Amino acid sequence: MFATFLQGLALSAAMILPIGPQNAFVMSQGIRRQYHLMIAALCALSDILLICAGIFGGSALLDRSPTLLFLVSWGGVAFLLWFGWGALRAALSAAPQQLQAQVNKQNRWRLVASMMAVTWLNPHVYLDTFVVLGSLGGRLASAERTWFALGAVTASTLWFFGLAILAALLSPWLNTVKAQRVINGVVAMVMWGIALQLARQNLHF
């Protein structure tokens, strides 16, 4: 059982480590030290729900409905383009202090709504949790499936809280105009790169 737990842990970690919308959002809130632990907790909870849904039967839903996967993917392309555009605007802003002040005015519920969009409108989340984890975990026996899911959610939880805490600790060095420009520029390029990859997959290029 422990080997199955480690398999779920390793596979989930491999998929969650590359920078994506969730990681970028958690990192940015950690740098600002603005509700970063709450955002990490909500991201972890969302992943727990998605991972368990994928492993315990949700993957079959996407297998039976290519149209649903198609719609989720194109919705994700649109969202990632929008998210990247916002990051690029922040990177190229002539008045970063003003932009930062506007960001800091965001209340808790607006941040929660943004986090939900970053998570639930990101098609990679469904591909990772439903297609990859779900297809592998779903083939296991009932007891092994539980341990596999436990390993996967453990990796997700540790990662999000670790990322939020590390970003907060590095905030004095990363929360500068120059660093923010670089970070937002990288985030914009990554988001647009993921969007392009998804679009190419949907068009069968």
Side-chain angles (χ1 to χ4, degrees):
M1 293 301 181
F2 187 62
T4 306
F5 173 86
L6 290 179
Q7 183 185 10
L9 183 78
L11 184 58
S12 180
M15 292 187 298
I16 202 173
L17 287 179
I19 187 169
Q22 272 186 311
N23 290 342
F25 192 74
V26 172
M27 184 175 67
S28 66
Q29 293 309 124
I31 291 171
R32 297 184 186 111
R33 296 181 177 177
Q34 186 184 30
Y35 300 119
H36 55 292
L37 294 179
M38 179 193 74
I39 295 299
L42 290 174
C43 282
L45 179 60
S46 295
D47 261 23
I48 289 170
L49 293 174
L50 287 163
I51 288 170
C52 290
I55 292 174
F56 294 101
S59 59
L61 178 63
L62 289 183
D63 288 339
R64 290 196 300 266
S65 180
T67 302
L68 178 60
L69 181 59
F70 179 85
L71 292 174
V72 167
S73 296
W74 278 111
V77 169
F79 170 73
L80 291 169
L81 290 173
W82 171 81
F83 192 90
W85 171 244
L88 185 63
R89 282 183 58 206
L92 300 178
S93 173
Q97 291 86 355
Q98 250 182 0
L99 189 63
Q100 184 64 37
Q102 291 175 0
V103 170
N104 288 337
K105 285 181 183 177
Q106 294 185 65
N107 62 35
R108 181 181 305 187
W109 297 112
R110 186 170 179 179
L111 288 172
V112 169
S114 298
M115 185 284 305
M116 294 295 286
V118 163
T119 301
W120 294 87
L121 292 181
N122 175 17
H124 268 289
V125 168
Y126 298 97
L127 295 174
D128 290 346
T129 57
F130 278 44
V131 177
V132 180
L133 288 172
S135 62
L136 291 175
R139 295 194 186 102
L140 300 172
S142 180
E144 291 181 323
R145 195 181 307 168
T146 301
W147 280 96
F148 183 86
L150 184 59
V153 301
T154 298
S156 178
T157 302
L158 290 176
W159 171 253
F160 284 124
F161 277 101
L163 181 61
I165 292 169
L166 181 62
L169 290 174
L170 296 177
S171 179
W173 295 275
L174 297 178
N175 199 18
T176 63
V177 172
K178 185 176 180 180
Q180 285 295 303
R181 287 191 190 280
V182 172
I183 291 170
N184 283 313
V186 170
V187 167
M189 294 303 104
V190 169
M191 297 305 103
W192 284 352
I194 295 172
L196 177 62
Q197 181 185 11
L198 281 171
R200 291 182 63 185
Q201 288 172 356
N202 284 332
L203 294 172
H204 304 291
F205 281 179

